[in-house]
């Protein structure tokens, strides 16, 4: 018995989706051999957890049949330690939470979306200080530790009055490859999950829309880039304020089975094809 061939349109889409990932791997020294073995592990993991027959765990033979991975490799990979989950590392989650508080809650912001510069020490700024901000999220970590890390990552800066300024309106490190890689993992994973859900199920689709043009001048692209940076960020800040308000109510109500969400926005440009001539033959 042979499995039906996958749709040609899907294979074409997968080749295109993989190109930027392969580009990243080659730039960072990830060889085909290493990636191939890692990919085997992912095939085995997904088959073992999501392609069960009822409550019964699939056998090595069944996983081998489904995935095409040799049974000896299936056994080896199933015995290996599982990879960590897709959630952001604790330090980044704490940082994102602090940025959300800073941008949305008085006295740390002038109004939602307009964070204030904060005196570094509580002895100077009291309840409107960076010390007080960190205390809102954790009593177990010193504000100076957070600040030093944010200074390293380019998220915050200190002025001559010893006030802390937020350098970005979302917690996206400007420096630090490991931290950027964590957000790459989180954002691309969740975007791909939404797209796969929409492509493979009849359930209510996740919102996933984009606009695209292919004959814009560099000047027009810059105009659009600036508009996305301003208006797109404002939209995300509005969603952030709504999510923070809803989360506070949900925590007070002690809701069961809490869920996580990701709301994203992106902009990309690259050279396009030459536009077709207008008004007749070239």
């Amino acid at each position: 018995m042979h499995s039906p061939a996958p749709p040609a349109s899907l294979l074409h889409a997968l080749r295109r989706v993989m190109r930027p990932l392969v580009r990243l791997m080659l730039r960072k020294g990830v060889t085909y051999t290493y990636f191939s073995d890692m990919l085997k592990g992912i095939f085995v993991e997904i088959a073992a957890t999501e392609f069960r027959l009822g409550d019964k765990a699939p056998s090595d033979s069944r996983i081998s049949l489904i995935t095409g991975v040799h049974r000896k490799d299936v056994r080896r990979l199933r015995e290996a330690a599982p990879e960590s989950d897709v959630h952001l590392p604790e330090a980044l989650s704490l940082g994102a939470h602090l940025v959300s508080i800073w941008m949305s809650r008085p006295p740390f912001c002038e109004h939602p979306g307009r964070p204030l510069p904060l005196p570094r020490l509580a002895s100077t700024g009291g309840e409107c200080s960076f010390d007080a901000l960190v205390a809102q999220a954790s009593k177990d970590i010193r504000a100076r530790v957070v600040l030093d890390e944010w200074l390293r990552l380019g998220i915050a800066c200190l002025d001559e009055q010893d006030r802390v300024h937020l350098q970005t309106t979302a917690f996206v490190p400007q420096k630090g490859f490991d931290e950027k890689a964590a957000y790459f993992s989180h954002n691309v994973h969740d975007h791909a999950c939404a797209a796969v859900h929409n492509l493979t199920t009849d359930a209510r689709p996740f919102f996933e829309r984009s606009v695209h043009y292919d004959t814009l001048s560099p000047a027009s692209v810059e105009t659009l880039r600036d508009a996305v940076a301003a208006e797109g960020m404002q939209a995300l800040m509005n969603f952030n304020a709504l999510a923070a308000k809803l989360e506070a109510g949900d925590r007070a109500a002690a809701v069961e089975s809490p869920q996580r969400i990701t709301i994203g926005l992106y902009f990309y440009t690259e050279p396009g094809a030459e536009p077709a001539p207008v008004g007749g033959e070239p």
Side-chain angles (χ1 to χ4, degrees):
M1 182 177 67
H2 297 282
S3 299
S9 58
L10 175 62
L11 295 177
H12 174 77
L14 289 173
R15 285 180 61 88
R16 191 151 192 252
V17 167
M18 286 303 302
R19 288 181 184 276
L21 300 181
V22 171
R23 186 181 305 127
L24 171 64
M25 287 186 275
L26 291 178
R27 287 178 177 174
K28 295 301 179 180
V30 179
T31 64
Y32 168 77
T33 303
Y34 183 90
F35 180 67
S36 175
D37 197 57
M38 182 175 69
L39 196 59
K40 282 182 184 179
I42 297 172
F43 267 79
V44 169
E45 174 194 344
I46 298 298
T49 57
E50 299 185 21
F51 287 80
R52 293 171 174 251
L53 296 175
D55 294 331
K56 185 178 179 181
S59 65
D60 291 350
S61 295
R62 174 171 165 75
I63 291 176
S64 178
L65 177 66
I66 294 173
T67 64
V69 177
H70 195 281
R71 191 168 57 185
K72 289 183 179 179
D73 286 333
V74 171
R75 186 182 306 113
R76 170 179 62 84
L77 291 165
R78 293 185 84 177
E79 292 173 352
E83 291 287 333
S84 59
D85 61 29
V86 299
H87 296 295
L88 288 172
E90 185 177 353
L92 293 184
S93 295
L94 172 65
H97 184 47
L98 286 173
V99 170
S100 176
I101 294 172
W102 196 348
M103 292 180 59
S104 60
R105 293 189 199 171
F108 306 110
C109 62
E110 183 178 345
H111 55 74
R114 183 68 66 87
L116 292 168
L118 302 178
R120 182 170 64 87
L121 300 174
S123 58
T124 304
E127 292 302 310
C128 187
S129 64
F130 191 76
D131 282 349
L133 171 68
V134 175
Q136 288 271 321
S138 174
K139 304 294 185 183
D140 300 323
I141 189 168
R142 292 171 52 235
R144 185 70 221 196
V145 173
V146 176
L147 179 59
D148 287 344
E149 183 68 0
W150 282 15
L151 294 175
R152 180 182 74 85
L153 296 174
I155 294 165
C157 68
L158 278 171
D159 64 18
E160 65 280 357
Q161 298 174 295
D162 202 31
R163 297 183 304 174
V164 186
H165 294 254
L166 187 63
Q167 289 284 79
T168 177
T169 48
F171 186 76
V172 180
Q174 304 303 301
K175 306 171 186 175
F177 181 81
D178 291 347
E179 291 78 9
K180 289 182 179 180
Y183 269 98
F184 168 80
S185 167
H186 183 275
N187 294 338
V188 175
H189 171 274
D190 283 7
H191 189 171
C193 283
V196 169
H197 169 91
N198 293 346
L199 189 64
T200 59
T201 76
D202 294 327
R204 181 184 178 185
F206 290 113
F207 185 87
E208 189 204 8
R209 300 288 186 272
S210 65
V211 295
H212 41 89
Y213 290 77
D214 54 14
T215 56
L216 289 166
S217 69
S220 296
V221 168
E222 286 304 307
T223 298
L224 283 165
R225 186 195 296 266
D226 292 342
V228 171
E231 298 176 32
M233 184 54 68
Q234 184 59 54
L236 288 177
M237 288 191 294
N238 291 340
F239 291 136
N240 176 72
L242 176 59
K245 179 181 178 181
L246 292 171
E247 183 182 58
D250 291 341
R251 282 181 172 172
V255 297
E256 296 182 0
S257 303
Q259 299 187 40
R260 70 177 187 89
I261 66 158
T262 298
I263 303 170
L265 181 73
Y266 67 93
F267 175 91
Y268 178 70
T269 183
E270 67 179 9
E274 290 294 324
V278 178
E281 295 294 327

